[in-house]
Amino acid sequence: MHKKNVSYDVILIAVFMLIGGLIIGFILLSSHKGKSVEVRIDGKIQGYYSLNENRTVNISSATGENILVIENGQAYMKDADCPDKLCVRQGSVSKDGQSIICLPHKVVVEVTGNESEKKQNSTDIIVK
Amino acid sequence: MMVREMKKMILSCLIAVIFLFSGCENADNNNVDVPHATKEIFAMDTYMMLTAYGEQAEKAVDEAVVEIKRLDKLLSVGEPDSEVYHINSDGKGTLSEDVQLLLEKSSWIYNNTGGTYDITVYPLMKLWGFTEEKQSVPSQKEIDKVLGYIGFDKLHYADGEISLAENQGIDFGGIAKGYTGERIMQIFEKYDVISGVISLGGNVQCFGAKTDGSLWKCGITDPDNPQDSNKLLGIVSVRDKAVITSGGYERFFEENGKTYHHIMDVKTGYPAKSGLRSVTIVSNDGTLADGLSTACFVMGKEKAVSFWEKHKDKFDMILMTDENRIFVTEGIAGNFSSERDFERIA
């Protein structure tokens, strides 16, 4: 009887530890989840795309098209039919808070998802 | 008995660990308790971001967006229905309260900065193509002709009416965003916003301090890396201030291997070459900060410093010269930090 009790407790402890481990693992994973880009047109969110997955995203707005490429953890505007093409010239973004903006098409592509990097980046706002 | 204690211990450890982690998450976001609203909007040919904290933050930000659109319609040089468009095409007009205020502020800056900020620069901006998508260097003959139209002292306004000299045109582009920011600060005040920050195309205005009481950290763009928010000229920490920068890196074009930026010197008719790469103005007065960032850029370091000495109660500034030397006036030197060397102006 006594012996049986101990083995039951060992199982319970093991279950607790497993649950604990899972919770810790989940918290760790979710706080260090991969970064993604948020695509917005005129302030409205169109979609989120992980930076971990290489792909091409066609962004169609009322005023034109932008082609966003995600490659090796970075995002850049490959092409656009806007007149100034400043978004294409802007190059690639990968750090939290960085963004590519296409004014004529009202398109914003912003890197999000890594709070610890945001904290490191010690400014609240950029003056241009 | 021992096992039961162990169970208790493990359970409490588990709970402690969970609290620890949730505690960390909350520390990342100390504003979690205060309602806040953020909105982005495309207006005045640029990208704008508004954030407010407070019980009525949503209302404050919504009304700010309405105000931005109203002022854009009023002040746009290209919008065929705007007040400024009508003044430019008719050579005269009746002034709204906003345009009246902007004229008075423009007049003060013009008269106190040796005419380095001049709203009648518009025909020159047009000649260089900075009002369009395509720019090119005009001939000296064309420049000389247009310079003849320029001069704030040539236009007249009184009793709510304005009349321009022949071929004159006005553009409030150099102070419109600063003025709009000031109007938004008034709206934030009306809705009891406790903390807020706006960026109108990189023109920043801060309302109060951050919700945790610390100052807003404003990163100033490095002219060598204008796209990289991780490489900065420096950081200035403020509360209740406008922080506005003018630099030749903002808008420019290349022709025959030479670059030409958009900040015009109305004396020469060419982009200003004053030995400065970047001028940041920090002031309670957003409209003034906007106009002075242009004026001081055109004036150059020496004149800008002697102007500051006369008006140091109104503003502070951060200058970067062509040799990449950084100068900070004493009022904000204690709140400025940079990875580069900088010198204090007292």
Side-chain angles (χ1 to χ4, degrees), chain B residues 269-318:
Chain B
Y270 275 84
K273 263 192 223 158
S274 65
L276 293 176
R277 299 188 73 193
S278 160
V279 173
T280 300
I281 305 291
V282 179
S283 174
N284 295 321
D285 182 335
T287 317
L288 183 75
D290 204 359
L292 286 187
S293 68
T294 307
C296 291
F297 186 95
V298 176
M299 277 193 263
K301 178 178 170 267
E302 223 162 284
K303 282 184 188 160
V305 168
S306 58
F307 176 75
W308 171 79
E309 281 166 350
K310 273 184 243 154
H311 302 283
K312 53 171 88 174
D313 55 320
K314 289 194 176 71
F315 76 102
D316 273 287
M317 61 184 181
I318 301 156

Side-chain angles (χ1 to χ4, degrees), chain A residues 9 12-13 16 20 24 27 40 43 83 90 95 101 103 106 108 119 121-128, chain B residues 3 7 10-11 14 17 21 28 40 42 45-47 202 210 216-219 221 227 230 243 245 250:
Chain A
D9 282 329
L12 205 68
I13 288 164
F16 271 141
I24 291 167
I27 290 168
R40 300 191 294 266
Q90 208 182 315
K95 297 196 176 78
I101 296 172
L103 282 181
K106 302 186 177 183
V108 179
K119 278 196 95 180
N121 195 351
S122 56
T123 53
D124 299 306
I125 193 145
I126 300 295
V127 185
K128 281 179 196 159
Chain B
V3 173
K7 270 198 285 185
I10 288 171
L11 201 72
L14 215 80
V17 164
F21 273 95
D28 271 347
E40 64 183 359
F42 290 85
D45 297 319
T46 191
Y47 169 74
K210 290 201 277 183
W216 290 105
K217 290 191 189 122
C218 307
T221 298
Q227 307 291 0
N230 290 303
V243 185
T245 297
E250 292 169 297

Side-chain angles (χ1 to χ4, degrees), chain B residues 191-211:
Chain B
Y191 286 102
D192 297 323
V193 167
I194 49 173
S195 168
V197 65
I198 62 170
S199 165
L200 310 182
N203 287 20
V204 168
Q205 294 197 34
C206 303
F207 187 92
K210 290 201 277 183
T211 49

Side-chain angles (χ1 to χ4, degrees), chain B residues 242-287:
Chain B
V243 185
I244 296 176
T245 297
S246 278
Y249 58 87
E250 292 169 297
R251 269 166 74 203
F252 60 87
F253 67 95
E254 280 180 22
E255 195 173 298
N256 298 327
K258 276 178 85 175
T259 57
Y260 300 88
H261 63 73
H262 74 295
I263 306 170
M264 288 288 150
D265 183 342
V266 290
K267 302 268 171 2
T268 64
Y270 275 84
K273 263 192 223 158
S274 65
L276 293 176
R277 299 188 73 193
S278 160
V279 173
T280 300
I281 305 291
V282 179
S283 174
N284 295 321
D285 182 335
T287 317

